[in-house]
PDB file of all heavy atoms in Angstrom:
ATOM      1  N   PHE H   1     -39.961  46.147  -4.877  1.00  0.00           N
ATOM      2  CA  PHE H   1     -39.696  47.426  -5.216  1.00  0.00           C
ATOM      3  C   PHE H   1     -38.590  47.821  -4.258  1.00  0.00           C
ATOM      4  O   PHE H   1     -38.660  47.624  -3.107  1.00  0.00           O
ATOM      5  CB  PHE H   1     -40.839  48.293  -5.071  1.00  0.00           C
ATOM      6  CG  PHE H   1     -41.811  48.258  -6.226  1.00  0.00           C
ATOM      7  CD1 PHE H   1     -42.804  47.122  -6.186  1.00  0.00           C
ATOM      8  CD2 PHE H   1     -41.950  49.197  -7.289  1.00  0.00           C
ATOM      9  CE1 PHE H   1     -43.663  46.972  -7.258  1.00  0.00           C
ATOM     10  CE2 PHE H   1     -42.798  49.064  -8.310  1.00  0.00           C
ATOM     11  CZ  PHE H   1     -43.682  48.047  -8.274  1.00  0.00           C
ATOM     12  N   PRO H   2     -37.526  48.676  -4.801  1.00  0.00           N
ATOM     13  CA  PRO H   2     -36.374  48.917  -4.022  1.00  0.00           C
ATOM     14  C   PRO H   2     -36.858  50.149  -2.968  1.00  0.00           C
ATOM     15  O   PRO H   2     -37.476  50.969  -3.159  1.00  0.00           O
ATOM     16  CB  PRO H   2     -35.374  49.582  -4.986  1.00  0.00           C
ATOM     17  CG  PRO H   2     -36.313  50.084  -6.129  1.00  0.00           C
ATOM     18  CD  PRO H   2     -37.412  49.143  -6.166  1.00  0.00           C
ATOM     19  N   ILE H   3     -36.205  49.895  -1.873  1.00  0.00           N
ATOM     20  CA  ILE H   3     -36.359  50.798  -0.701  1.00  0.00           C
ATOM     21  C   ILE H   3     -34.928  51.054  -0.046  1.00  0.00           C
ATOM     22  O   ILE H   3     -34.404  50.190   0.484  1.00  0.00           O
ATOM     23  CB  ILE H   3     -37.291  50.352   0.430  1.00  0.00           C
ATOM     24  CG1 ILE H   3     -38.804  50.026  -0.112  1.00  0.00           C
ATOM     25  CG2 ILE H   3     -37.468  51.320   1.517  1.00  0.00           C
ATOM     26  CD1 ILE H   3     -39.705  49.456   0.754  1.00  0.00           C
ATOM     27  N   VAL H   4     -34.420  52.172  -0.295  1.00  0.00           N
ATOM     28  CA  VAL H   4     -32.961  52.418   0.036  1.00  0.00           C
ATOM     29  C   VAL H   4     -32.884  53.545   1.007  1.00  0.00           C
ATOM     30  O   VAL H   4     -33.508  54.637   0.985  1.00  0.00           O
ATOM     31  CB  VAL H   4     -32.262  52.904  -1.191  1.00  0.00           C
ATOM     32  CG1 VAL H   4     -30.806  53.125  -0.826  1.00  0.00           C
ATOM     33  CG2 VAL H   4     -32.136  51.832  -2.354  1.00  0.00           C
ATOM     34  N   THR H   5     -32.288  53.264   2.163  1.00  0.00           N
ATOM     35  CA  THR H   5     -32.313  54.183   3.404  1.00  0.00           C
ATOM     36  C   THR H   5     -30.960  54.925   3.447  1.00  0.00           C
ATOM     37  O   THR H   5     -30.962  56.089   4.063  1.00  0.00           O
ATOM     38  CB  THR H   5     -32.605  53.610   4.611  1.00  0.00           C
ATOM     39  OG1 THR H   5     -31.657  52.415   4.830  1.00  0.00           O
ATOM     40  CG2 THR H   5     -33.987  52.887   4.660  1.00  0.00           C
ATOM     41  N   ARG H   6     -29.901  54.388   2.900  1.00  0.00           N
ATOM     42  CA  ARG H   6     -28.537  55.054   3.124  1.00  0.00           C
ATOM     43  C   ARG H   6     -28.031  55.671   1.950  1.00  0.00           C
ATOM     44  O   ARG H   6     -26.754  56.093   1.944  1.00  0.00           O
ATOM     45  CB  ARG H   6     -27.592  54.044   3.679  1.00  0.00           C
ATOM     46  CG  ARG H   6     -27.959  53.493   5.121  1.00  0.00           C
ATOM     47  CD  ARG H   6     -26.879  52.628   5.693  1.00  0.00           C
ATOM     48  NE  ARG H   6     -27.340  52.172   7.102  1.00  0.00           N
ATOM     49  CZ  ARG H   6     -26.528  51.485   7.837  1.00  0.00           C
ATOM     50  NH1 ARG H   6     -25.290  51.080   7.447  1.00  0.00           N
ATOM     51  NH2 ARG H   6     -27.006  51.076   9.104  1.00  0.00           N
ATOM     52  N   SER H   7     -28.667  55.647   0.857  1.00  0.00           N
ATOM     53  CA  SER H   7     -28.159  56.353  -0.431  1.00  0.00           C
ATOM     54  C   SER H   7     -29.403  56.877  -1.143  1.00  0.00           C
ATOM     55  O   SER H   7     -30.498  56.876  -0.566  1.00  0.00           O
ATOM     56  CB  SER H   7     -27.245  55.321  -1.252  1.00  0.00           C
ATOM     57  OG  SER H   7     -28.012  54.277  -1.535  1.00  0.00           O
ATOM     58  N   ALA H   8     -29.291  57.114  -2.442  1.00  0.00           N
ATOM     59  CA  ALA H   8     -30.310  57.727  -3.181  1.00  0.00           C
ATOM     60  C   ALA H   8     -31.409  56.722  -3.340  1.00  0.00           C
ATOM     61  O   ALA H   8     -31.121  55.436  -3.589  1.00  0.00           O
ATOM     62  CB  ALA H   8     -29.713  58.141  -4.615  1.00  0.00           C
ATOM     63  N   GLN H   9     -32.581  57.063  -3.217  1.00  0.00           N
ATOM     64  CA  GLN H   9     -33.745  56.144  -3.311  1.00  0.00           C
ATOM     65  C   GLN H   9     -34.202  56.237  -4.827  1.00  0.00           C
ATOM     66  O   GLN H   9     -34.588  57.247  -5.373  1.00  0.00           O
ATOM     67  CB  GLN H   9     -34.883  56.808  -2.464  1.00  0.00           C
ATOM     68  CG  GLN H   9     -36.402  56.105  -2.867  1.00  0.00           C
ATOM     69  CD  GLN H   9     -36.360  54.618  -2.558  1.00  0.00           C
ATOM     70  OE1 GLN H   9     -35.873  54.198  -1.526  1.00  0.00           O
ATOM     71  NE2 GLN H   9     -36.889  53.871  -3.566  1.00  0.00           N
ATOM     72  N   PRO H  10     -34.092  54.926  -5.391  1.00  0.00           N
ATOM     73  CA  PRO H  10     -34.487  54.954  -6.863  1.00  0.00           C
ATOM     74  C   PRO H  10     -36.020  55.288  -7.000  1.00  0.00           C
ATOM     75  O   PRO H  10     -36.752  54.882  -6.089  1.00  0.00           O
ATOM     76  CB  PRO H  10     -34.203  53.449  -7.139  1.00  0.00           C
ATOM     77  CG  PRO H  10     -33.171  52.955  -6.179  1.00  0.00           C
ATOM     78  CD  PRO H  10     -33.523  53.731  -4.944  1.00  0.00           C
ATOM     79  N   PRO H  11     -36.427  55.989  -8.032  1.00  0.00           N
ATOM     80  CA  PRO H  11     -35.568  56.392  -9.125  1.00  0.00           C
ATOM     81  C   PRO H  11     -34.815  57.671  -9.062  1.00  0.00           C
ATOM     82  O   PRO H  11     -34.545  58.356 -10.058  1.00  0.00           O
ATOM     83  CB  PRO H  11     -36.546  56.414 -10.317  1.00  0.00           C
ATOM     84  CG  PRO H  11     -37.776  56.734  -9.774  1.00  0.00           C
ATOM     85  CD  PRO H  11     -37.765  56.233  -8.223  1.00  0.00           C
ATOM     86  N   LEU H  12     -34.657  58.252  -7.812  1.00  0.00           N
ATOM     87  CA  LEU H  12     -33.976  59.452  -7.605  1.00  0.00           C
ATOM     88  C   LEU H  12     -32.411  59.134  -7.610  1.00  0.00           C
ATOM     89  O   LEU H  12     -32.083  57.952  -7.631  1.00  0.00           O
ATOM     90  CB  LEU H  12     -34.408  60.062  -6.284  1.00  0.00           C
ATOM     91  CG  LEU H  12     -35.884  60.312  -6.009  1.00  0.00           C
ATOM     92  CD1 LEU H  12     -36.178  61.000  -4.660  1.00  0.00           C
ATOM     93  CD2 LEU H  12     -36.429  61.352  -7.183  1.00  0.00           C
ATOM     94  N   ASP H  13     -31.720  60.135  -7.583  1.00  0.00           N
ATOM     95  CA  ASP H  13     -30.187  59.990  -7.770  1.00  0.00           C
ATOM     96  C   ASP H  13     -29.310  60.591  -6.755  1.00  0.00           C
ATOM     97  O   ASP H  13     -28.140  60.597  -6.962  1.00  0.00           O
ATOM     98  CB  ASP H  13     -29.789  60.368  -9.222  1.00  0.00           C
ATOM     99  CG  ASP H  13     -30.111  61.764  -9.534  1.00  0.00           C
ATOM    100  OD1 ASP H  13     -30.417  62.478  -8.561  1.00  0.00           O
ATOM    101  OD2 ASP H  13     -30.319  62.074 -10.805  1.00  0.00           O
ATOM    102  N   GLY H  14     -29.978  61.218  -5.805  1.00  0.00           N
ATOM    103  CA  GLY H  14     -29.136  61.853  -4.758  1.00  0.00           C
ATOM    104  C   GLY H  14     -28.959  63.351  -4.986  1.00  0.00           C
ATOM    105  O   GLY H  14     -28.345  63.967  -4.104  1.00  0.00           O
ATOM    106  N   GLN H  15     -29.120  63.777  -6.272  1.00  0.00           N
ATOM    107  CA  GLN H  15     -28.841  65.171  -6.568  1.00  0.00           C
ATOM    108  C   GLN H  15     -30.064  66.043  -6.127  1.00  0.00           C
ATOM    109  O   GLN H  15     -31.104  65.654  -5.853  1.00  0.00           O
ATOM    110  CB  GLN H  15     -28.670  65.233  -8.100  1.00  0.00           C
ATOM    111  CG  GLN H  15     -27.425  64.439  -8.507  1.00  0.00           C
ATOM    112  CD  GLN H  15     -27.167  64.694 -10.023  1.00  0.00           C
ATOM    113  OE1 GLN H  15     -27.825  65.586 -10.662  1.00  0.00           O
ATOM    114  NE2 GLN H  15     -26.302  63.775 -10.627  1.00  0.00           N
ATOM    115  N   THR H  16     -29.801  67.307  -5.996  1.00  0.00           N
ATOM    116  CA  THR H  16     -30.739  68.295  -5.769  1.00  0.00           C
ATOM    117  C   THR H  16     -31.883  68.132  -6.755  1.00  0.00           C
ATOM    118  O   THR H  16     -31.687  68.150  -7.927  1.00  0.00           O
ATOM    119  CB  THR H  16     -30.235  69.710  -5.796  1.00  0.00           C
ATOM    120  OG1 THR H  16     -29.094  69.873  -4.892  1.00  0.00           O
ATOM    121  CG2 THR H  16     -31.279  70.771  -5.433  1.00  0.00           C
ATOM    122  N   LEU H  17     -33.124  68.091  -6.238  1.00  0.00           N
ATOM    123  CA  LEU H  17     -34.318  67.886  -7.149  1.00  0.00           C
ATOM    124  C   LEU H  17     -34.468  68.981  -8.070  1.00  0.00           C
ATOM    125  O   LEU H  17     -34.425  70.095  -7.785  1.00  0.00           O
ATOM    126  CB  LEU H  17     -35.545  67.674  -6.222  1.00  0.00           C
ATOM    127  CG  LEU H  17     -35.535  66.383  -5.403  1.00  0.00           C
ATOM    128  CD1 LEU H  17     -36.815  66.274  -4.617  1.00  0.00           C
ATOM    129  CD2 LEU H  17     -35.466  65.193  -6.334  1.00  0.00           C
ATOM    130  N   LYS H  18     -34.677  68.582  -9.316  1.00  0.00           N
ATOM    131  CA  LYS H  18     -35.003  69.576 -10.402  1.00  0.00           C
ATOM    132  C   LYS H  18     -36.176  69.067 -11.163  1.00  0.00           C
ATOM    133  O   LYS H  18     -36.663  67.971 -10.933  1.00  0.00           O
ATOM    134  CB  LYS H  18     -33.799  69.606 -11.307  1.00  0.00           C
ATOM    135  CG  LYS H  18     -32.415  70.055 -10.649  1.00  0.00           C
ATOM    136  CD  LYS H  18     -31.316  70.141 -11.762  1.00  0.00           C
ATOM    137  CE  LYS H  18     -30.873  68.669 -12.161  1.00  0.00           C
ATOM    138  NZ  LYS H  18     -30.274  67.955 -11.110  1.00  0.00           N
ATOM    139  N   PRO H  19     -36.747  69.838 -12.162  1.00  0.00           N
ATOM    140  CA  PRO H  19     -37.899  69.439 -12.917  1.00  0.00           C
ATOM    141  C   PRO H  19     -37.552  68.063 -13.560  1.00  0.00           C
ATOM    142  O   PRO H  19     -38.579  67.324 -13.703  1.00  0.00           O
ATOM    143  CB  PRO H  19     -38.083  70.483 -13.974  1.00  0.00           C
ATOM    144  CG  PRO H  19     -37.467  71.719 -13.201  1.00  0.00           C
ATOM    145  CD  PRO H  19     -36.402  71.265 -12.341  1.00  0.00           C
ATOM    146  N   ALA H  20     -36.321  67.733 -14.023  1.00  0.00           N
ATOM    147  CA  ALA H  20     -36.187  66.608 -14.761  1.00  0.00           C
ATOM    148  C   ALA H  20     -36.352  65.324 -13.838  1.00  0.00           C
ATOM    149  O   ALA H  20     -36.771  64.264 -14.301  1.00  0.00           O
ATOM    150  CB  ALA H  20     -34.611  66.567 -15.189  1.00  0.00           C
ATOM    151  N   HIS H  21     -36.231  65.504 -12.610  1.00  0.00           N
ATOM    152  CA  HIS H  21     -36.450  64.414 -11.604  1.00  0.00           C
ATOM    153  C   HIS H  21     -37.920  64.022 -11.547  1.00  0.00           C
ATOM    154  O   HIS H  21     -38.271  62.854 -11.591  1.00  0.00           O
ATOM    155  CB  HIS H  21     -35.981  64.727 -10.152  1.00  0.00           C
ATOM    156  CG  HIS H  21     -34.584  64.728  -9.952  1.00  0.00           C
ATOM    157  ND1 HIS H  21     -33.860  65.871  -9.969  1.00  0.00           N
ATOM    158  CD2 HIS H  21     -33.604  63.625  -9.821  1.00  0.00           C
ATOM    159  CE1 HIS H  21     -32.547  65.522  -9.828  1.00  0.00           C
ATOM    160  NE2 HIS H  21     -32.352  64.345  -9.721  1.00  0.00           N
ATOM    161  N   PHE H  22     -38.848  65.038 -11.602  1.00  0.00           N
ATOM    162  CA  PHE H  22     -40.261  64.682 -11.492  1.00  0.00           C
ATOM    163  C   PHE H  22     -40.709  64.302 -12.950  1.00  0.00           C
ATOM    164  O   PHE H  22     -41.676  63.436 -13.037  1.00  0.00           O
ATOM    165  CB  PHE H  22     -41.087  65.942 -11.106  1.00  0.00           C
ATOM    166  CG  PHE H  22     -40.751  66.106  -9.552  1.00  0.00           C
ATOM    167  CD1 PHE H  22     -39.717  67.076  -9.237  1.00  0.00           C
ATOM    168  CD2 PHE H  22     -41.322  65.383  -8.702  1.00  0.00           C
ATOM    169  CE1 PHE H  22     -39.496  67.342  -7.867  1.00  0.00           C
ATOM    170  CE2 PHE H  22     -41.069  65.553  -7.271  1.00  0.00           C
ATOM    171  CZ  PHE H  22     -40.114  66.563  -6.944  1.00  0.00           C
ATOM    172  N   ASN H  23     -40.209  64.803 -14.060  1.00  0.00           N
ATOM    173  CA  ASN H  23     -40.518  64.234 -15.368  1.00  0.00           C
ATOM    174  C   ASN H  23     -40.092  62.751 -15.421  1.00  0.00           C
ATOM    175  O   ASN H  23     -40.858  62.030 -16.016  1.00  0.00           O
ATOM    176  CB  ASN H  23     -39.859  65.131 -16.519  1.00  0.00           C
ATOM    177  CG  ASN H  23     -40.189  66.482 -16.641  1.00  0.00           C
ATOM    178  OD1 ASN H  23     -41.364  66.664 -16.401  1.00  0.00           O
ATOM    179  ND2 ASN H  23     -39.392  67.326 -17.041  1.00  0.00           N
ATOM    180  N   ARG H  24     -39.040  62.410 -14.753  1.00  0.00           N
ATOM    181  CA  ARG H  24     -38.647  61.004 -14.754  1.00  0.00           C
ATOM    182  C   ARG H  24     -39.601  60.119 -13.939  1.00  0.00           C
ATOM    183  O   ARG H  24     -40.091  59.016 -14.338  1.00  0.00           O
ATOM    184  CB  ARG H  24     -37.288  60.878 -14.031  1.00  0.00           C
ATOM    185  CG  ARG H  24     -36.750  59.379 -13.872  1.00  0.00           C
ATOM    186  CD  ARG H  24     -35.451  59.455 -13.031  1.00  0.00           C
ATOM    187  NE  ARG H  24     -34.448  60.317 -13.433  1.00  0.00           N
ATOM    188  CZ  ARG H  24     -33.483  60.753 -12.812  1.00  0.00           C
ATOM    189  NH1 ARG H  24     -33.239  60.065 -11.547  1.00  0.00           N
ATOM    190  NH2 ARG H  24     -32.556  61.453 -13.208  1.00  0.00           N
ATOM    191  N   LEU H  25     -40.172  60.591 -12.744  1.00  0.00           N
ATOM    192  CA  LEU H  25     -41.111  59.931 -12.103  1.00  0.00           C
ATOM    193  C   LEU H  25     -42.451  59.827 -12.976  1.00  0.00           C
ATOM    194  O   LEU H  25     -42.969  58.631 -12.850  1.00  0.00           O
ATOM    195  CB  LEU H  25     -41.524  60.769 -10.734  1.00  0.00           C
ATOM    196  CG  LEU H  25     -40.393  60.849  -9.696  1.00  0.00           C
ATOM    197  CD1 LEU H  25     -41.034  61.586  -8.475  1.00  0.00           C
ATOM    198  CD2 LEU H  25     -39.797  59.542  -9.250  1.00  0.00           C
ATOM    199  N   TRP H  26     -42.882  60.801 -13.490  1.00  0.00           N
ATOM    200  CA  TRP H  26     -44.045  60.599 -14.402  1.00  0.00           C
ATOM    201  C   TRP H  26     -43.720  59.536 -15.467  1.00  0.00           C
ATOM    202  O   TRP H  26     -44.763  58.754 -15.695  1.00  0.00           O
ATOM    203  CB  TRP H  26     -44.356  61.928 -15.096  1.00  0.00           C
ATOM    204  CG  TRP H  26     -45.613  62.567 -14.451  1.00  0.00           C
ATOM    205  CD1 TRP H  26     -46.821  62.753 -15.142  1.00  0.00           C
ATOM    206  CD2 TRP H  26     -45.737  63.232 -13.211  1.00  0.00           C
ATOM    207  NE1 TRP H  26     -47.764  63.344 -14.212  1.00  0.00           N
ATOM    208  CE2 TRP H  26     -47.074  63.723 -13.073  1.00  0.00           C
ATOM    209  CE3 TRP H  26     -44.872  63.523 -12.191  1.00  0.00           C
ATOM    210  CZ2 TRP H  26     -47.550  64.413 -12.081  1.00  0.00           C
ATOM    211  CZ3 TRP H  26     -45.308  64.258 -11.092  1.00  0.00           C
ATOM    212  CH2 TRP H  26     -46.637  64.716 -10.958  1.00  0.00           C
ATOM    213  N   GLY H  27     -42.625  59.439 -16.092  1.00  0.00           N
ATOM    214  CA  GLY H  27     -42.430  58.535 -17.103  1.00  0.00           C
ATOM    215  C   GLY H  27     -42.215  57.051 -16.637  1.00  0.00           C
ATOM    216  O   GLY H  27     -42.810  56.118 -17.190  1.00  0.00           O
ATOM    217  N   ILE H  28     -41.524  56.838 -15.486  1.00  0.00           N
ATOM    218  CA  ILE H  28     -41.240  55.523 -14.992  1.00  0.00           C
ATOM    219  C   ILE H  28     -42.475  54.982 -14.434  1.00  0.00           C
ATOM    220  O   ILE H  28     -42.843  53.726 -14.705  1.00  0.00           O
ATOM    221  CB  ILE H  28     -40.101  55.675 -13.961  1.00  0.00           C
ATOM    222  CG1 ILE H  28     -38.767  55.915 -14.738  1.00  0.00           C
ATOM    223  CG2 ILE H  28     -40.121  54.266 -13.184  1.00  0.00           C
ATOM    224  CD1 ILE H  28     -37.575  56.089 -13.669  1.00  0.00           C
ATOM    225  N   TYR H  29     -43.170  55.632 -13.616  1.00  0.00           N
ATOM    226  CA  TYR H  29     -44.425  55.181 -12.863  1.00  0.00           C
ATOM    227  C   TYR H  29     -45.521  55.134 -13.799  1.00  0.00           C
ATOM    228  O   TYR H  29     -46.700  54.387 -13.517  1.00  0.00           O
ATOM    229  CB  TYR H  29     -44.687  55.909 -11.730  1.00  0.00           C
ATOM    230  CG  TYR H  29     -43.821  55.649 -10.518  1.00  0.00           C
ATOM    231  CD1 TYR H  29     -42.676  56.406 -10.336  1.00  0.00           C
ATOM    232  CD2 TYR H  29     -43.771  54.530  -9.706  1.00  0.00           C
ATOM    233  CE1 TYR H  29     -41.734  56.268  -9.310  1.00  0.00           C
ATOM    234  CE2 TYR H  29     -42.927  54.341  -8.697  1.00  0.00           C
ATOM    235  CZ  TYR H  29     -41.855  55.143  -8.453  1.00  0.00           C
ATOM    236  OH  TYR H  29     -40.923  54.919  -7.459  1.00  0.00           O
ATOM    237  N   GLY H  30     -45.453  55.881 -14.936  1.00  0.00           N
ATOM    238  CA  GLY H  30     -46.736  55.927 -15.886  1.00  0.00           C
ATOM    239  C   GLY H  30     -47.792  56.739 -15.267  1.00  0.00           C
ATOM    240  O   GLY H  30     -49.055  56.484 -15.425  1.00  0.00           O
ATOM    241  N   LEU H  31     -47.439  57.887 -14.577  1.00  0.00           N
ATOM    242  CA  LEU H  31     -48.480  58.730 -13.971  1.00  0.00           C
ATOM    243  C   LEU H  31     -49.242  59.438 -15.076  1.00  0.00           C
ATOM    244  O   LEU H  31     -48.585  59.822 -16.153  1.00  0.00           O
ATOM    245  CB  LEU H  31     -47.781  59.852 -13.106  1.00  0.00           C
ATOM    246  CG  LEU H  31     -46.987  59.207 -11.788  1.00  0.00           C
ATOM    247  CD1 LEU H  31     -46.189  60.343 -11.254  1.00  0.00           C
ATOM    248  CD2 LEU H  31     -48.018  58.615 -10.954  1.00  0.00           C
ATOM    249  N   PRO H  32     -50.502  59.739 -14.872  1.00  0.00           N
ATOM    250  CA  PRO H  32     -51.242  60.498 -16.042  1.00  0.00           C
ATOM    251  C   PRO H  32     -50.883  61.845 -16.210  1.00  0.00           C
ATOM    252  O   PRO H  32     -50.374  62.596 -15.142  1.00  0.00           O
ATOM    253  CB  PRO H  32     -52.661  60.234 -15.397  1.00  0.00           C
ATOM    254  CG  PRO H  32     -52.594  60.220 -13.972  1.00  0.00           C
ATOM    255  CD  PRO H  32     -51.330  59.407 -13.778  1.00  0.00           C
TER     256      PRO H  32
END
């Protein structure tokens, strides 16, 4: 699993967090 310290941490993209980012986390990780 990727661990990035000097740029955006996947699956984030470095942009200001918005609801879409957390919807993405739920979809990618398969959170209930």
